[in-house]
Amino acid sequence: MKVYFVSDGTAITAEVFGQAMLSFFDVTIKQVSVPFLSTADQAHGFCKQLQEERSKGESTLVFFTISDPNIRAIIESCDGHCYNIFGDLLSPIEQALGVPAQPNAQKAHGIKEGIYDGRIDAINYALANDDGVSVKNYEEAEIILLGVSRSGKTPTSLYLAMQYGIKAANYPLTEDDFNDFGLPKVLKPHKHKLFGLTIDPERLHEIRTGRMAESKYASSRQCRYELNEVEAIYRQERIPFLNTTRLSVEEISTRIMAEMHLTRNRG
């Protein structure tokens, strides 16, 4: 089964909604994104491609978000199972608001200048304050992630920045910190911003082995030791923490936002 996510913008909205619907079905699919489809010629070309695939016996689904009604009509006429993600939602929302929808690609898929600038600032902050490289700007941080090496700190910090505009620093806890019994001095003034990440030792061993096989750093014993120590610090200092083993970066970030009562930067 091939599934297309089609849009006159980035196709991210079509992907998110489409994938959410498909998650209810235990089927193997091949996903294809078709962004920036904004002309009638492009739409006719896409329909021709679907027709050729159908003639070869391929089954296809199409999730689309198209603003232009003429182009939308072309996609809806394609030889396939096409689902207009906005279609079933706009009419009842129009009735509830008492205002007709005036969709266009820029409104549907764009981003306000203030939000964009805020996200860029947050991304730059996350990069500059990654892995404890710099600890001078922790006053600006909205959250500081803690954890052993390879527990998910960096991708989570960047996702919080890119998706929510959150200024997230992260700090690696190492054996030197374990020997000091408690939080590193640089973190103590910011205790209310701290959130810990942990991970199952078996999974940490796998990740580290892929990076530095046959090293003390990657050994099962070292992984267990570090995780036991870091979780002891979390409990001693009453720092909220989360096991990331079976969670995606999206789930980790969403749970952190809720736990720490953070709000999306809206410019």
Side-chain angles (χ1 to χ4, degrees):
M1 169 71 70
K2 183 179 288 187
V3 179
Y4 287 95
F5 303 110
V6 181
S7 177
D8 49 8
T10 63
I12 292 175
T13 301
E15 285 187 29
V16 170
F17 276 83
Q19 288 173 352
M21 295 297 101
L22 292 170
S23 68
F24 289 94
F25 303 93
D26 185 15
V27 293
T28 300
I29 60 173
K30 178 181 179 181
Q31 302 182 27
V32 181
S33 292
V34 183
F36 306 114
L37 190 152
S38 56
T39 69
D41 286 344
Q42 290 174 326
H44 284 301
F46 177 71
C47 286
K48 183 179 179 180
Q49 178 182 339
L50 286 189
Q51 186 176 8
E52 291 174 352
E53 291 177 356
R54 294 273 286 182
S55 67
K56 297 177 183 178
E58 294 186 37
S59 183
T60 57
L61 296 178
V62 179
F63 294 94
F64 68 94
T65 56
I66 301 290
S67 301
D68 187 305
N70 296 319
I71 299 174
R72 187 165 62 238
I74 296 172
I75 298 298
E76 289 172 338
S77 70
C78 285
D79 186 15
H81 302 284
C82 300
Y83 302 97
N84 179 5
I85 289 174
F86 290 157
D88 294 335
L89 294 175
L90 285 179
S91 180
I93 293 175
E94 285 178 329
Q95 294 178 13
L97 296 178
V99 178
Q102 297 179 338
N104 59 57
Q106 185 176 3
K107 287 183 179 179
H109 305 289
I111 183 171
K112 293 180 180 179
E113 183 177 349
I115 297 176
Y116 177 81
D117 291 342
R119 289 187 185 179
I120 294 299
D121 287 345
I123 292 169
N124 288 333
Y125 181 86
L127 292 171
N129 294 274
D130 179 45
D131 214 26
V133 172
S134 174
V135 296
K136 296 179 181 179
N137 302 313
Y138 278 2
E139 292 79 10
E140 298 180 33
E142 294 172 77
I143 187 169
I144 302 171
L145 301 179
L146 307 178
V148 301
S149 174
R150 300 291 147 181
S151 58
K153 302 184 302 301
T154 295
T156 303
S157 297
L158 288 172
Y159 188 87
L160 287 168
M162 290 187 288
Q163 185 66 22
Y164 298 108
I166 297 295
K167 287 187 175 181
N170 71 79
Y171 187 95
L173 293 172
T174 66
E175 288 190 62
D176 291 339
D177 300 313
F178 306 152
N179 295 331
D180 290 338
F181 301 104
L183 285 175
K185 291 181 180 180
V186 69
L187 297 176
K188 290 182 179 179
H190 311 288
K191 187 174 179 179
H192 62 291
K193 300 179 182 181
L194 303 182
F195 191 94
L197 300 182
T198 188
I199 187 171
D200 288 353
E202 296 80 9
R203 179 55 182 152
L204 183 61
H205 169 63
E206 291 177 6
I207 295 172
R208 289 184 173 184
T209 297
R211 183 175 176 82
M212 296 179 64
E214 305 299 327
S215 64
K216 176 185 175 183
Y217 167 79
S219 70
S220 295
R221 181 177 181 180
Q222 182 68 17
C223 291
R224 286 194 300 271
Y225 163 68
E226 291 185 26
L227 289 169
N228 286 337
E229 291 293 325
V230 78
E231 290 181 20
I233 291 176
Y234 296 157
R235 294 187 178 94
Q236 175 186 328
E237 300 290 340
R238 297 186 178 180
I239 296 169
F241 67 96
L242 178 67
N243 188 308
T244 66
T245 306
R246 295 172 182 82
L247 300 177
S248 67
V249 68
E250 295 88 351
E251 291 173 304
I252 296 167
S253 300
T254 302
R255 295 192 185 198
I256 290 172
M257 292 286 291
E259 178 78 17
M260 299 297 285
H261 305 291
L262 298 173
T263 57
R264 184 191 298 269
N265 183 342
R266 299 189 181 277

